[in-house]
């Protein structure tokens, strides 16, 4: 549904919840942009991110524009195979029989969009330190595939390929606004440590217990 948060969320509690999420998301994006380059890669249809922020998250939208955060719509990317699917597109069984193939296509679409963003940022230099944060399996796997396939230039100091640190954080897939706020607040608090971490990591914050374990892990140095 299109409309403002006031039109969609009628109760005072709902409005307060959305305003809290708006403030929390804005704070996280600002903090992340201060520490590095932020790019949004999504399988949503083109324009969805902008429309959603305009309708529900005015503070986030304002910061997004001020920071010049780029949105890459992976649904526009062609897959590596013969199939070119968009999210939500109906596919007859004789076209694709195995749902795993659909998932593969979407993962490859995200991978291609991520690669374009990385090439734009790093140019011909080596890929160094990349963190994927999202609630789906596609971006998680896409970045891990990039890390597996990409080969950095050889270091003149060590004679080996330069280090490429691949870091993934999986959020809850269908969280409440309160839980999403908690995830973003925890990530914001630990983001400097995560960026400075010298090794790869793969973290799943799919439940409250995982959030507690995550904080305890960083306090103990993982």
């Amino acid at each position: 549904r299109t409309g403002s948060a006031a039109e969609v969320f009628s109760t005072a509690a709902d409005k307060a919840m959305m305003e809290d999420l708006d403030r929390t998301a804005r704070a996280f994006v600002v903090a992340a942009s201060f520490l590095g380059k932020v790019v949004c890669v999504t399988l949503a249809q083109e324009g969805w991110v902008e429309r959603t922020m305009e309708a529900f998250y005015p503070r986030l939208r304002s910061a997004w524009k001020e920071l010049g955060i780029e949105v890459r719509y992976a649904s526009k990317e062609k897959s590596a195979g013969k199939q070119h699917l968009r999210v939500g597109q109906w596919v007859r069984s004789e076209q694709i029989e195995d749902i795993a193939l659909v998932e593969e296509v979407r993962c490859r679409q995200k991978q291609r969009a991520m690669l374009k963003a990385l090439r734009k940022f790093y140019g011909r230099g080596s890929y160094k330190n990349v963190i994927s944060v999202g609630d789906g399996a596609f971006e998680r796997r896409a970045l891990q595939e990039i890390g597996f396939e990409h080969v950095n230039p050889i270091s003149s100091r060590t004679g080996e390929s330069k280090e490429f640190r691949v870091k993934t954080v999986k959020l809850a897939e269908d969280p409440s606004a309160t839980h999403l706020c908690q995830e973003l607040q925890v990530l914001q608090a630990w983001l400097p440590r995560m960026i400075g971490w010298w090794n790869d990591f793969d973290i799943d914050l799919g439940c409250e217990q995982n959030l507690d374990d995550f904080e305890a892990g960083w306090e103990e140095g993982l």
Side-chain angles (χ1 to χ4, degrees):
R1 177 178 173 179
T2 302
S4 67
E7 293 172 332
V8 177
F9 299 97
S10 57
T11 70
D14 286 341
K15 293 174 184 176
M17 175 187 66
M18 292 302 293
E19 288 178 1
D20 189 32
L21 181 55
D22 187 18
R23 285 190 290 266
T24 302
R26 180 193 181 279
F28 174 76
V29 165
V30 170
S33 296
F34 179 78
L35 295 168
K37 173 70 174 178
V38 176
V39 178
C40 174
V41 179
T42 177
L43 282 165
Q45 293 302 298
E46 189 170 6
W48 181 86
V49 171
E50 294 82 359
R51 290 194 301 271
T52 300
M53 288 192 293
E54 183 175 0
F56 303 111
Y57 308 110
R59 298 176 183 84
L60 177 60
R61 177 175 176 266
S62 177
W64 200 276
K65 284 190 171 183
E66 290 175 7
L67 296 167
I69 296 175
E70 179 184 10
V71 180
R72 287 188 173 268
Y73 286 96
S75 56
K76 295 164 57 179
E77 299 291 335
K78 292 184 179 180
S79 66
K82 296 180 179 179
Q83 302 294 339
H84 180 198
L85 303 180
R86 293 176 299 171
V87 175
Q89 178 178 344
W90 179 66
V91 181
R92 295 195 303 269
S93 60
E94 60 265 28
Q95 291 177 298
I96 296 181
E97 297 181 357
D98 191 348
I99 192 64
L101 182 54
V102 179
E103 295 177 352
E104 177 68 19
V105 168
R106 292 175 180 174
C107 177
R108 289 296 177 179
Q109 286 177 315
K110 278 228 166 179
Q111 186 176 340
R112 284 171 178 256
M114 286 181 175
L115 275 172
K116 288 181 179 179
L118 289 171
R119 288 166 183 161
K120 180 179 179 180
F121 180 73
Y122 285 113
R124 295 186 178 181
S126 59
Y127 297 0
K128 294 179 174 64
N129 192 17
V130 183
I131 302 178
S132 167
V133 178
D135 63 357
F138 301 126
E139 58 267 14
R140 186 186 197 184
R141 182 182 159 200
L143 183 58
Q144 291 171 343
E145 289 286 344
I146 291 172
F148 179 75
E149 296 174 3
H150 178 77
V151 178
N152 268 339
I154 300 298
S155 168
S156 58
R157 182 176 59 86
T158 65
E160 298 178 353
S161 180
K162 294 181 179 179
E163 190 77 20
F164 175 25
R165 290 175 290 283
V166 173
K167 305 170 181 180
T168 59
V169 180
K170 170 76 166 56
L171 305 180
E173 292 189 19
D174 189 20
S176 65
T178 299
H179 184 75
L180 181 54
C181 281
Q182 291 172 345
E183 289 181 318
L184 293 177
Q185 289 165 350
V186 167
L187 285 176
Q188 182 180 336
W190 289 102
L191 198 53
R193 184 83 176 270
M194 293 165 66
I195 291 172
W197 192 254
W198 194 249
N199 298 312
D200 300 346
F201 60 69
D202 178 31
I203 298 169
D204 189 341
L205 300 183
C207 66
E208 291 184 10
Q209 180 62 48
N210 287 1
L211 278 175
D212 294 338
D213 292 343
F214 173 78
E215 290 200 274
W218 282 109
E219 288 172 354
E220 297 172 3
L222 277 182

